[in-house]
Amino acid sequence: MQPLLNYIGGSFVPSNSGDTIEDINPATNQRITTLPRSSSIDVDKATQAAIGAGPAWKATPIEERIKWLENIADALEAKHEEIALLETLDTGKPISLSRRVDAARSVSNFRFFAQYAKEQQPMQFEANGAINHIHRNPVGCVGLITPWNLPLYLLTWKVAPALLMGNTIVAKPSEMTPLTANLLAETLDELKLPEGVFNLVHGLGPEVGQAIVEHPNIKAISFTGGTSTGRTVAATAAPMFKKLSLELGGKNATVLLDDARIDDIVDELVRASFTNSGQVCLCGSRVLIPAKMYDEVAEKFVKGVERLKLGDPMDESTQMGAVISAEHLSKVESYINLGIEEGGIVLTGGTSVNASVSGVHAEGAFLRPTVIGGLKHTSRTATEEIFGPVVTLHPYHDEDEAVLIANGTEYGLAGSVWTSDVERGHAFAQRMDTGIVWVNTWLNRDLRTPFGGVKQSGIGREGGIWSMSFFSEMTNVCIKQP
Ligand code: NAP
């Protein structure tokens, strides 16, 4: 594959220094290509380009910007298979998942915001003999920083509303998964999106990401990634009074109530735990089970996990591929070892690679899906984010204890509740300190709804009107007839 380049001011260019980074396929540990190792100089060039393009893009009527979003959706849809292949190469996730989730959602992010914008009514309030008209203006040049787990899905989730609201963009994908961000830049270039409206700067987080957050002319930062990085981003951006959206880590609870029918839901519980090798911020990594049902549920859950087919991500039938990198594999394995040290019992999985992964994949970052029982719910393994294919099981005695365990981490992103009684499930859901709770379903997304976490899972919400508000500044014009 050709070396990747930055996309700045409508041109594909190397980094100012000419330095590069290797992009590695985690399923084979082989090099895919190289990408620019950019610096603050490249970020500054991208920002200048974005600022130069700002006035014309701001003046483009919203109807035309909606048309742009629709055209981008069409162009990405035509590349559905290419997106899926690149995403699987970069992340090691199964090709079926890349098609169903990554490629599909990247298109629907643009379609959704185009359609949603058409449905908006002008905001007006009448009082005291005057009418208040609320106008939305672009923020200006915005910085978008995204992680490796859902590369194009999460980038387009930010790009679509940012463009819609008239902003220009400096974006940085994870250096581990740059391929589909490059494909997006190529697509926008083919469509002839005005030069400078979208700029892409590849490189390392502490170099390029930090330079974006620090740049005085980048007025808003939309960041998705880990909580500790989010803390650094916040510490840098807050004193500059930048608009800040932080979508951070999670340690989500999957709660079975005592009327849940395990045989009907076991496959969904496994999916909620191990989709993308547990590398979805919404995955449930702690399963809370009524004590009287614990043995039965644990046995059926483990059997369900053992049915998952681990292997070559390009194989249509594979359900679990590699984790993102050899380094991440070591981190996840160290948590499994910590779990054992903390008194946990590995019920399935563990550190050894499945024997079915061999040949070109022998050097890949594969790990069997792992379930650990017997841990205190306050243990490090059960409270820190592992972000890999590791799930812990915890018995509870009554709903109050289940709430205590579910809320007993510093995170508060998502969770799920499983019950035959939806009212009971709804009531339990409202006791969970999280931004999102699903009852009898998981990762069931309506893009109009608020998405985001509480506590150390983030600040702000994305989706529908919340994304439109983040990417705009509102002016209230209060008019009284003379
Ligand atoms: P990460 O290490 O925090 O990186 C996220 C992005 O930030 C990457 O592009 C990274 O660049 C960049 N970055 C690193 N240091 C930076 C700095 N000082 N300033 C600005 N940017 C910087 O997270 P990750 O490991 O890629 O992703 C996994 C994490 O993301 C997990 O914690 C997961 O829960 C979270 N996540 C949250 C959501 C959500 O919606 N809440 C969704 C998906 C993932 P490099 O990759 O080049 O270092």
Side-chain angles (χ1 to χ4, degrees):
M1 195 180 283
Q2 291 290 313
L4 304 186
L5 296 169
N6 290 331
Y7 184 62
I8 297 178
S11 300
F12 286 92
V13 292
S15 66
N16 182 64
S17 65
D19 291 348
T20 58
I21 307 168
E22 295 202 324
D23 182 24
I24 304 292
N25 176 347
T28 60
N29 202 27
Q30 286 171 6
R31 193 177 94 156
I32 305 169
T33 184
T34 61
L35 57 144
R37 180 172 175 172
S38 311
S39 68
S40 58
I41 297 174
D42 304 287
V43 170
D44 192 51
K45 284 182 186 166
T47 308
Q48 296 309 328
I51 286 170
W57 187 244
K58 177 181 175 180
T60 303
I62 190 151
E63 294 74 16
E64 274 182 47
R65 297 201 298 260
I66 289 171
K67 191 73 200 143
W68 272 108
L69 263 53
E70 290 170 339
N71 291 344
I72 296 167
D74 290 344
L76 290 179
E77 196 157 40
K79 298 182 181 183
H80 180 273
E81 190 58 17
E82 192 183 349
I83 294 171
L85 282 171
L86 293 177
E87 220 64 297
T88 287
L89 263 184
D90 245 357
T91 61
K93 67 175 69 172
I95 187 73
S96 60
L97 184 67
S98 292
R99 288 189 184 118
R100 195 174 66 249
V101 175
D102 299 77
R105 178 66 187 275
S106 303
V107 173
S108 62
N109 282 338
F110 285 101
R111 283 222 201 291
F112 164 74
F113 277 107
Q115 182 57 32
Y116 190 70
K118 287 182 198 170
E119 293 163 9
Q120 299 305 306
Q121 301 294 329
M123 258 197 290
Q124 290 181 1
F125 302 94
E126 195 169 350
N128 310 324
I131 300 178
N132 294 274
H133 300 262
I134 318 296
H135 297 277
R136 289 184 186 276
N137 296 308
V139 181
C141 170
V142 298
L144 312 182
I145 301 174
T146 47
W148 46 258
N149 64 327
L150 293 160
L152 191 59
Y153 171 131
L154 289 173
L155 179 60
T156 53
W157 181 230
K158 299 180 190 300
V159 169
L163 291 181
L164 173 71
M165 302 316 292
N167 303 280
T168 56
I169 294 170
V170 177
K172 188 206 104 61
S174 167
E175 100 278 358
M176 285 189 277
T177 54
L179 296 180
T180 49
N182 178 65
L183 175 141
L184 178 65
E186 286 176 349
T187 305
L188 299 180
D189 193 64
E190 286 156 13
L191 290 172
K192 300 196 174 0
L193 185 74
E195 288 173 8
V197 170
F198 175 82
N199 304 276
L200 183 66
V201 186
H202 293 285
L204 300 175
E207 296 172 1
V208 174
Q210 186 70 24
I212 289 174
V213 179
E214 282 175 3
H215 201 292
N217 295 333
I218 297 182
K219 299 297 179 196
I221 302 292
S222 179
F223 172 87
T224 300
T227 293
S228 70
T229 318
R231 197 172 284 124
T232 306
V233 169
T236 310
M240 301 172 82
F241 301 108
K242 294 192 180 198
K243 283 191 100 173
L244 195 53
S245 167
L246 298 173
E247 298 289 346
L248 309 177
K251 186 77 177 179
N252 309 310
T254 303
V255 185
L256 275 75
L257 299 186
D258 59 12
D259 58 359
R261 295 194 198 105
I262 180 63
D263 293 322
D264 296 345
I265 61 173
V266 66
D267 289 341
E268 276 297 284
L269 299 185
V270 171
R271 189 175 79 87
S273 307
F274 291 105
T275 293
N276 197 22
S277 298
Q279 301 168 127
V280 178
C281 54
L282 305 165
C283 275
S285 47
R286 301 176 293 147
V287 182
L288 279 46
I289 306 165
K292 63 185 176 191
M293 296 164 64
Y294 183 85
D295 289 343
E296 182 200 357
V297 171
E299 188 190 332
K300 289 180 173 167
F301 182 71
V302 164
K303 280 197 179 136
V305 172
E306 288 173 347
R307 283 196 291 273
L308 285 176
K309 189 176 169 221
L310 175 79
D312 177 1
M314 290 296 177
D315 185 327
E316 304 278 338
S317 63
T318 293
Q319 292 168 296
M320 222 177 98
V323 297
I324 189 65
S325 66
E327 192 188 350
H328 191 57
L329 175 65
S330 300
K331 177 193 153 188
V332 178
E333 285 179 332
S334 74
Y335 266 107
I336 296 171
N337 290 329
L338 175 68
I340 295 166
E341 279 167 32
E342 289 184 312
I345 297 159
V346 175
L347 303 175
T348 188
T351 55
S352 60
V353 172
N354 188 314
S356 67
V357 179
S358 58
V360 71
H361 299 107
E363 300 297 314
F366 291 89
L367 179 69
R368 290 163 61 203
T370 299
V371 181
I372 307 179
L375 280 168
K376 284 189 184 159
H377 67 82
T378 51
S379 63
R380 282 185 56 202
T381 314
T383 52
E384 295 179 11
E385 186 185 44
I386 301 173
F387 212 55
V390 180
V391 165
T392 57
L393 305 186
H394 305 276
Y396 70 85
H397 294 91
D398 56 34
E399 282 192 19
D400 287 345
E401 190 186 9
V403 170
L404 189 84
I405 299 173
N407 293 339
T409 77
E410 64 183 22
Y411 297 106
L413 185 56
S416 64
V417 183
W418 301 82
T419 171
S420 304
D421 180 344
V422 291
E423 283 180 17
R424 200 177 154 202
H426 197 165
F428 188 94
Q430 290 173 80
R431 300 178 70 191
M432 292 172 76
D433 291 339
T434 63
I436 307 146
V437 188
W438 285 285
V439 177
N440 294 330
T441 182
W442 179 74
L443 198 40
N444 188 335
R445 294 277 293 120
D446 177 333
L447 302 186
R448 294 170 298 185
T449 60
F451 178 96
V454 302
K455 301 196 282 185
Q456 299 203 10
S457 288
I459 295 175
R461 295 290 184 272
E462 294 184 320
I465 200 74
W466 293 273
S467 292
M468 288 178 65
S469 295
F470 180 76
F471 287 113
S472 58
E473 292 287 9
M474 282 178 275
T475 306
N476 181 40
V477 181
C478 179
I479 301 178
K480 192 164 193 274
Q481 290 295 335

